[in-house]
DNA sequence: ATGAAAGCGCTAACAG
DNA sequence: CTGTTAGCGCTTTCAT
């Protein structure tokens, strides 16, 4: 079945001007609420606008004004359960200010990141919210020289050149490990994220420092390097079980690995939390729904996305390129996976 | 800390022309690979481009060419676990063709949908991939008259005016219910989606028709209307248990409600699948990770997103506005939640 | 208070 | 093969 495309596609400011019997300058003024417009002409113009169903051409406006009213949002992967909330927060904040969001998935690949940055620059985006992968150190430096405001969520950017929304991963790890220790666990296995990731480094540091603080030994045999995937958590604990290492708790550097770890435990008929307690990181929705539900360190993704875009817009409208930073603090969410039977019920500990 | 913004923001085709000692037309020709260009000038121009780090201004190009090389992606909510895969599929397909994707979350609210459609139109997007909520009937009709190609995932659009990627919800429901019946279940409760949603209507029809086919009675007391949320599945089954209705299986019109239902069952110490078998719909990742894992009807979200954008791009480059349709077929994924102990192991049934 | 006209950066006739 | 020029739709001086 075919039908011809609607033809009166483009009604421009010129058509409105002609219909209303005024100049295009007048139409423009009225549309943009500029000063000095006679009531009468305004009425005629508005009538013409309604009648013709005129919609301003944002592309022409962008060319003239040199701002596109759109921002680029560069993330590793929207399918990673951490990002949907963040993206939603970012989008809500952007829309509220009339900005379009261009979504870019890079899989954390530095080459793709670079391609997308060039693409966005060419598209004349007014700002970029950049969340890189573990290889993006080089791109971060390049971004700092881009003549477009950039906000990142990466701590490494805090070289004083790039604005950032940061999260205290170190403190978060401390919260997690202290919780395990205080509920009586002593031999804590650790599943780290990728060694080069800055968030991962901070979480590892928090883990080590807390063990030190409580004079517990750091046992290398209980430490694994994962890649934040379900599978790497599963493999780590499977290996641990096969080697018959002794441990009574696990701290996983994110929730997906924690859930993978639980899978390995359950397959070996090890009970959670009775035999092994486990705490994750991020508080993705699955942490709540999983059986057993997962104790975790919450990262407020929606709010961070929102804050990042707010910061970006602030930078875009200021001429002095001040480098901003906003810090979010972790919060421990206690659920079933660390419940001490018989022990007094832990309450949700809020760390401000 | 402050530092002045990099100043040489805008290097234009003019600068390249001057540096290379040619006219802007020549630069444009070389950049766009047009015919007849002397090797020598091409080399000079490319050198200038590299040296000045010239990047074409896509906004100016869009104004001139009357196409923006961007498409709008309107969805209810990226936080709904069904959408991330679909969005990723759409984005991958778009990027491959050099299109930017503008993401728009509407919460299925018709007013927001309309606002976003106007916004995208104003932005001169070359096409729109529209996934509406239950109230969007009116917007669907409006979209059909928009002078911009539109592809939707809504069956209701199949009035012959809007191209669509569709999914056979009816057949999917049949697969689910037949599976329950063939594994020996007879009193099947049904948690429907919202009554006005077209996918929901089809799934309900599949449920009823299959019971009929096997001469099983449709018991109104075992039928509930949910809203696709975890909570509505939970509430439905909680009510069923409190009323002490007798049933041996549940078909939930999506996975989130199925998982909510399981929660209610477990709270009442009813075992899944031993006492009650349950099958969901969509095959979100959680269906795989949940304990017990959930038998469900798979909807290939990534592929559908990809196909929808491919279809959109095809429409954009064709002058005859042919109305296209591509259909995806359901596939039953059998997991723990319907396992019959003692019975022969079900294998993954693939319906082509 | 309103209109005429320049120009944002680019592509594509049109001329030579 | 290369350059000159018009014009995409809009905002904004600069006149009037």
């Amino acid at each position: 079945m075919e039908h011809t495309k609607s033809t009166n596609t483009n009604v421009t400011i010129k058509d409105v001007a002609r219909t209303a019997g005024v100049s295009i300058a007048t139409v423009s003024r009225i549309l943009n609420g500029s000063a000095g417009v006679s009531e009468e002409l305004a009425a005629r113009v508005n009538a013409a606008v309604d009648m013709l169903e005129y919609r301003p051409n944002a592309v022409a406006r962008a060319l003239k004004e040199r701002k596109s009213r759109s921002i680029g949002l560069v993330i590793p992967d929207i399918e990673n359960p951490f990002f949907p909330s963040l993206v939603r927060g970012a989008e809500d904040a952007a829309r509220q200010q009339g900005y379009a969001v261009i979504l870019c998935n890079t899989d954390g690949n530095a080459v793709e990141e670079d391609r997308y940055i060039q693409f966005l620059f060419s598209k004349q985006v007014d700002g970029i919210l950049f969340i890189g992968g573990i290889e993006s150190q080089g791109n971060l430096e390049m971004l700092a020289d881009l003549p477009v405001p950039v906000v990142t969520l990466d701590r490494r950017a805090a070289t004083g050149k790039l604005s950032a929304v940061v999260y205290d991963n170190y403190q978060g790890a401390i919260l997690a490990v202290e919780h395990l220790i205080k509920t009586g666990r002593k031999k804590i296995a650790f599943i780290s994220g990728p060694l080069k990731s800055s968030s991962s480094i901070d979480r590892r540091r928090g883990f080590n420092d807390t063990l030190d603080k409580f004079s517990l030994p750091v046992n290398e045999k209980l430490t694994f390097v994962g890649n934040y995937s379900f599978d790497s958590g599963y493999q780590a604990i499977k290996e641990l079980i096969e080697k018959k290492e002794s441990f009574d708790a696990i701290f996983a550097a994110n929730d997906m690995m924690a859930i993978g770890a639980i899978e390995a435990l359950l397959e070996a008929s090890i009970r959670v939390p009775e035999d092994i307690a486990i705490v994750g990181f991020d508080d993705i929705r699955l942490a709540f729904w999983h059986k057993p539900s997962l104790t975790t360190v919450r990262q407020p993704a929606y709010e961070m996305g929102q804050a990042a875009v707010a910061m970006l817009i602030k930078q875009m409208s200021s001429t002095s390129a001040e480098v901003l930073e906003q810090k979010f603090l972790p919060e421990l969410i206690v659920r079933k996976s660390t419940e001490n039977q018989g022990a007094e019920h832990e309450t949700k500990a809020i760390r401000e």
Side-chain angles (χ1 to χ4, degrees), chain A residues 126-184:
Chain A
D126 298 331
I128 296 176
L129 170 47
F130 180 85
I131 306 176
I134 56 174
E135 343 171 317
S136 27
Q137 185 62 59
N139 285 326
L140 285 172
E141 278 155 23
M142 183 256 278
L143 279 165
D145 292 326
L146 217 60
V148 159
V150 174
V151 167
T152 170
L153 264 73
D154 197 305
R155 185 186 57 81
R156 290 171 300 177
T159 58
K161 303 193 73 178
L162 231 42
S163 291
V165 164
V166 298
Y167 175 79
D168 196 335
N169 287 286
Y170 177 69
Q171 192 55 239
I174 291 175
L175 249 41
V177 180
E178 283 191 346
H179 170 67
L180 287 172
I181 293 173
K182 285 179 180 165
T183 53

Side-chain angles (χ1 to χ4, degrees), chain A residues 57-312:
Chain A
N57 181 327
V59 171
R61 191 178 292 195
L63 177 59
K64 178 65 189 175
E65 304 230 282
R66 297 147 159 286
K67 35 188 192 156
S68 62
R69 294 229 139 223
S70 54
I71 66 181
L73 177 43
V74 180
I75 62 173
D77 182 13
I78 190 68
E79 292 194 75
N80 172 331
F82 177 70
F83 290 108
S85 287
L86 188 145
V87 168
R88 183 66 205 258
E91 211 253 288
D92 285 353
R95 165 183 30 192
Q96 211 194 331
Q97 304 290 331
Y99 285 86
V101 168
I102 298 177
L103 183 67
C104 314
N105 290 285
T106 64
D107 290 319
N109 173 333
V111 176
E112 281 300 309
E113 286 173 3
D114 184 65
R115 277 196 51 219
Y116 255 133
I117 292 166
Q118 302 304 331
F119 179 74
L120 291 170
F121 180 59
S122 171
K123 282 263 177 198
Q124 310 293 113
V125 293
D126 298 331
I128 296 176
L129 170 47
F130 180 85
I131 306 176
I134 56 174
E135 343 171 317
S136 27
Q137 185 62 59
N139 285 326
L140 285 172
E141 278 155 23
M142 183 256 278
L143 279 165
D145 292 326
L146 217 60
V148 159
V150 174
V151 167
T152 170
L153 264 73
D154 197 305
R155 185 186 57 81
R156 290 171 300 177
T159 58
K161 303 193 73 178
L162 231 42
S163 291
V165 164
V166 298
Y167 175 79
D168 196 335
N169 287 286
Y170 177 69
Q171 192 55 239
I174 291 175
L175 249 41
V177 180
E178 283 191 346
H179 170 67
L180 287 172
I181 293 173
K182 285 179 180 165
T183 53
R185 312 288 173 161
K186 290 193 162 47
K187 288 186 266 184
I188 305 174
F190 177 47
I191 312 175
S192 160
L195 289 177
K196 285 182 185 166
S197 144
S198 78
S199 60
S200 173
I201 291 167
D202 290 348
R203 291 173 197 181
R204 171 186 288 262
R205 207 158 43 83
F207 173 78
N208 288 333
D209 288 2
T210 308
L211 289 194
D212 279 356
K213 179 176 161 193
F214 286 87
S215 307
L216 291 171
V218 174
N219 182 349
E220 283 304 325
K221 289 179 183 163
L222 297 183
T223 298
F224 295 84
V225 176
N227 63 2
Y228 283 151
S229 73
F230 173 93
D231 210 52
S232 68
Y234 175 86
Q235 290 300 339
I237 298 308
K238 194 172 177 191
E239 193 181 323
L240 204 53
I241 293 168
E242 280 167 0
K243 288 187 179 165
K244 302 200 192 310
E245 295 289 346
S246 156
F247 64 107
D248 58 12
I250 302 169
F251 171 41
N254 81 342
D255 290 342
M256 285 312 308
M257 293 195 297
I259 288 164
I262 292 177
E263 179 76 15
L265 293 171
L266 295 181
E267 270 185 17
S269 301
I270 298 171
R271 293 167 305 165
V272 176
E274 292 83 351
D275 302 323
I276 304 284
I278 180 163
V279 28
F281 210 111
D282 283 351
D283 194 27
I284 62 178
R285 286 158 91 127
L286 183 49
F288 174 76
W289 286 320
H290 190 266
K291 304 290 166 193
S293 61
L294 186 65
T295 294
T296 190
V297 179
R298 175 165 154 73
Q299 201 168 358
Y302 182 91
E303 290 79 3
M304 288 169 72
Q306 218 176 15
V309 166
M311 181 180 287
L312 196 53

Side-chain angles (χ1 to χ4, degrees), chain A residues 5-48:
Chain A
K5 275 182 187 169
S6 179
T7 43
N8 85 336
T9 303
N10 301 312
V11 18
T12 77
I13 200 173
K14 226 169 178 171
D15 303 314
V16 175
R18 192 175 333 106
T19 314
V22 298
S23 77
I24 61 169
T26 300
V27 175
S28 177
R29 284 186 191 107
I30 289 165
L31 260 38
N32 297 301
S34 301
V37 277
S38 89
E39 295 275 310
E40 194 202 325
L41 289 198
R44 284 207 334 247
V45 167
N46 286 325

